[in-house]
Each structure stands twice: as C-alpha cells, then as structure tokens.
Amino acid sequence: MSKQKILALLRQNPEGYTSGEAMSRQLGISRAAVSKAVSGLRQEGYDIHSVTNRGYRLVSGPDRLTAGEIEPWLHVDHIGAALECFETIDSTNNYLKREAHRLPDGAVAVANEQTGGRGRLGRSFQSPKDAGIYMSALVRPNIPPERALNFTAFVAVAVCEGIEAATDLQPQIKWTNDIVLEKRKVCGILTEMSIEGESGALQSIVTGIGLNVNQRLEDFPEDIRDIAGSLAMATGKPVQRGRLTAEVLNALDRMYAAWLSDGGDYLEKYRARCLTVGREVRLLRADGRQEPARAVAVAEDFGLVVRHPDGREEKVTSGEVSVRGLWGYVD
C-alpha cells in the first residue's frame, strides 16, 4: 500500500520534486519505508529521479490500473471513495455481488483484466489485459425497484462525460447503453439489481462498465472488427487509463447525486448524445420476430419511441426489445 500512496503523491507533482521527508510526514511512515517504496516502483518500470536535498520526481511509468495511478485525479464524495484495484479478476460485477455484504455503499472494483466478463443477455465481453478499463460500482439506494429502471441510461451519460473530460472526444450513445465513437462501440454497460424475494425491496445495484481504451483494430476478434473500436483508435494515440478511470468515476459520482434527487438535466444530456433517434432500426422481439421501424424520440422514462411503417407509434424499453440500426452499426 505504501507504494501506491507514494506513487499518488508523485503523480500529484508531475513537474517538480517531492521530498522524502514530506512524504514520510504526510503518510506517517519512516524515511526508510519511503525509500523502499520508491525502489519497488522502479522495479515495476517507473522512472523516478532523485536529487539530494530535493527529493523524488516521477519522469515516466507504465500504464497501469492501480490506486496510485487513479487517486491523484479522483474527486468524489461517494462512488469510488472505497476503491479496490485488481490485476486479474473473473468479473468486477461478480466480485461486488459476492462481497456486497461487507463492502460499503459506493464501493468500486477496477480490473486490468477480466477472465469472465459479461455483457447483456449473457453475451461474453472481451476484457484483455493492459488495454481496457473494466470496473463496477455498488450502490444501495433506498428506492422502489421500478425507480431504478433508468439507472443505466444515467450511467451512459456519465461515462460519456468522463471520456470527454479525459480525452476531449465526444462519444454518443446508441440506445440504450452502448457508447459509440465513429460508428464503433467503445464501451458496454451491464447493470444488475438484487431484489429481496419476500418483500420485493431493492437491496443493491451493481453497474459494470467495460471500456475499450488502447486496443488496436487487430486486437479485436475478426468477427467484431467492423463494429468494435477504442479510444486510442479515435485519438490516434494511447490514452492514460488511470486518469480516464478517475474522470469516469468523478462523472459517476456527480450523476449519482443527481439521480437520487430530481434527475437534474440528465434526460436532456441523454437525448443530446443519443444517435439512435432519427434513424431506421430493427426491433428484435423476445419471441424472435424482427420489425422495421424508425426511432423518433427518447421518452421521459428513457424508453425509445418508434414509428412503424403503418404510422403507428410505440414506446419500447430495453427489457422488451433489442434495437439494431440499419445504417451500419450493430450491437
């Protein structure tokens, strides 16, 4: 833990030197422990300069997902205040659900790699190491379950805002919760609710975010190369995952506060980013039927209003149908 705290302090002072004595006092550890932590960081690939009577300066380092890389950028009151980072895990969603009994409200798990990542409808989600961000947040709002049905839409807006804060990219949302850049999916969101069987009360919500960050086109399986993308593909350069993680958590924290109150302006934000509206779509019914329609609006409850060829309008929810575009992008 000392290594991560030392790394966070060095990240907070990117242009100057931080004295070992100052870090010792701030963290309540010995100077020898500071020196040992710095040596450990160097062994992990961090280039740290040291000058007598000035201290240490971080020159460069590997792109890792650790507390020391995330916390310097993190400014949250609730979501992300309790942060756990893993090199490899089966699924951050599964982890939070398993450990929900002991974890605080707002706890977040972040992983460098998932071995059992999942998407909607039981689909697998590719989660290769050193390339993406795979994280989940646990919340326990005291609300009826039906009140939480729009949570994923709010999360989608927050993810877009976090990406924009870290990269200046302007991602869009394919209804209901896919994050898209240049007609390529760069992020998926999976929200799972736990409901008490006897009372029907909402116990917890776990929302998982799988974000493609530094993948190259050839890193994706051939069957999804036409539709999958990454932030690095959009920017043309690698993206620092530690800062990006923090910016997404900052946005999630702001969003959650608004969601618990009156919802703020998140419906307007969602509508502004939703690229599905105005396009021809296919409605994929649960019984396998496919119907052509045109998406005309996002409703107040974040349902999608579609117009059928006969002029009839219908509001659909993600629980009822899947939506695929006829204009190039598919999920």
Side-chain angles (χ1 to χ4, degrees), residues 67-230:
E69 293 287 1
I70 298 169
E71 289 177 354
W73 309 94
L74 196 60
H75 307 289
V76 298
D77 295 319
H78 190 70
I79 292 184
L83 178 67
E84 295 191 49
C85 299
F86 299 90
E87 181 61 26
T88 301
I89 200 170
D90 59 340
S91 158
T92 53
N93 263 34
N94 287 349
Y95 172 76
L96 290 185
K97 290 191 295 181
R98 286 195 302 266
E99 303 298 325
H101 63 282
R102 68 169 185 85
L103 292 173
D105 189 28
V108 169
V110 179
N112 185 53
E113 177 188 29
Q114 290 184 133
T115 58
R118 295 177 294 113
R120 289 184 65 243
L121 305 177
R123 301 185 184 107
S124 63
F125 183 86
Q126 298 293 323
S127 312
K129 66 180 180 178
D130 302 330
I133 297 171
Y134 319 110
M135 63 180 171
S136 301
L138 166 72
V139 293
R140 298 189 184 90
N142 184 23
I143 59 172
E146 59 272 18
R147 165 77 169 74
L149 294 178
N150 63 7
F151 189 70
T152 300
F154 276 72
V155 172
V157 174
V159 172
C160 288
E161 292 184 341
I163 292 171
E164 192 166 341
T167 66
D168 290 330
L169 294 169
Q170 296 184 330
Q172 295 176 288
I173 302 169
K174 172 188 168 289
W175 187 87
T176 170
N177 62 343
D178 285 344
I179 310 303
V180 177
L181 279 167
E182 300 172 354
K183 292 189 178 182
R184 291 181 177 273
K185 179 177 176 179
V186 298
C187 179
I189 301 167
L190 175 65
T191 299
E192 300 178 283
M193 291 191 291
S194 175
I195 299 175
E196 188 176 69
E198 293 184 358
S199 67
L202 177 63
Q203 294 180 312
S204 65
I205 301 173
V206 173
T207 188
I209 299 163
L211 181 54
N212 298 334
V213 184
N214 288 324
Q215 288 95 333
R216 302 163 300 176
L217 184 62
E218 57 267 30
D219 293 330
F220 295 108
E222 288 188 12
D223 60 335
I224 63 171
R225 285 182 187 172
D226 290 340
I227 61 173
S230 71

Side-chain angles (χ1 to χ4, degrees), residues 291-308:
E291 303 173 21
R294 184 175 181 83
V296 296
V298 174
E300 294 288 321
D301 62 356
F302 293 88
L304 185 67
V305 180
V306 300
R307 182 177 297 127
H308 293 273

